Amino acid sequence: MAHAAPTPGGTRGMRRTPATRRTTRPPARTPDVFSERFHRVARYAIPVVLGLLYGYWAAANKRDGGPITGGNLLFGFVTALAFIVLCIAVAVLAPRLMRELHSLTKSAFAGAAIGFLYSQGGASVWASVVLGLVVTAAIFTVFFYRYYTREDAEGNRIR
């Protein structure tokens, strides 16, 4: 078998355990790419940007290629404001819930948002509800799996 030849200073960053005299690496840490300030700003900036895009999309669906009117602009901004408030509320409150409700809260928000956009395009109420429920079920499955495999029963992250 071939082994790498030792190099001078090759054990830098490693420590020896006295019992076995084998080298072990220190525990790996996740790199902190962004500062705390960046995370604080992004916590509110991302929902605002998403809300403005969502409001524009809803207003564009509602006018269906017609002229842009004051009512259409008002509808877009009110929709954006509602989306921003609900998105921030879900982002703040959902992590405090059990993993099942955490998953359901986030997925219900996404399903309702998609269903509302679909309804603005002129689809029937039933079609919008069915699409919203399908999206909710799909996203719930993904989120529940993610939280179930990364948290214990009390909601603490597994390390």
Side-chain angles (χ1 to χ4, degrees):
M1 284 199 172
H3 294 284
T7 59
T11 58
R12 193 173 306 146
M14 301 179 74
R15 57 182 173 202
R16 294 190 177 271
T17 57
T20 60
R21 294 287 177 215
R22 293 185 183 165
T23 56
T24 59
R25 294 200 179 275
R29 251 187 45 169
T30 311
D32 293 329
V33 179
F34 299 112
S35 67
E36 288 296 322
R37 181 177 176 273
F38 181 85
H39 284 284
R40 277 193 312 274
V41 170
R43 182 178 191 112
Y44 297 103
I46 290 173
V48 168
V49 170
L50 289 177
L52 291 173
L53 288 172
Y54 185 84
Y56 171 74
W57 194 354
N61 283 353
K62 187 169 180 80
R63 70 181 171 90
D64 196 29
I68 298 174
T69 62
N72 187 255
L73 285 174
L74 180 64
F75 176 77
F77 281 115
V78 169
T79 303
L81 182 64
F83 184 91
I84 292 167
V85 168
L86 290 174
C87 188
I88 291 173
V90 167
V92 169
L93 297 177
R96 298 178 185 174
L97 302 172
M98 297 180 336
R99 64 180 164 212
E100 294 86 3
L101 293 176
H102 185 180
S103 304
L104 185 63
T105 303
K106 287 185 173 183
S107 58
F109 174 69
I114 295 296
F116 178 74
L117 280 180
Y118 190 62
S119 73
Q120 294 307 306
S124 70
V125 172
W126 287 110
S128 301
V129 168
V130 167
L131 179 66
L133 289 175
V134 167
V135 169
T136 298
I139 293 176
F140 175 79
T141 303
V142 171
F143 278 162
F144 182 74
Y145 175 78
R146 181 184 185 277
Y147 298 136
Y148 188 78
T149 57
R150 289 175 173 76
E151 294 179 352
D152 63 7
E154 286 82 32
N156 302 318
R157 287 188 175 170
I158 298 173
R159 303 217 182 227

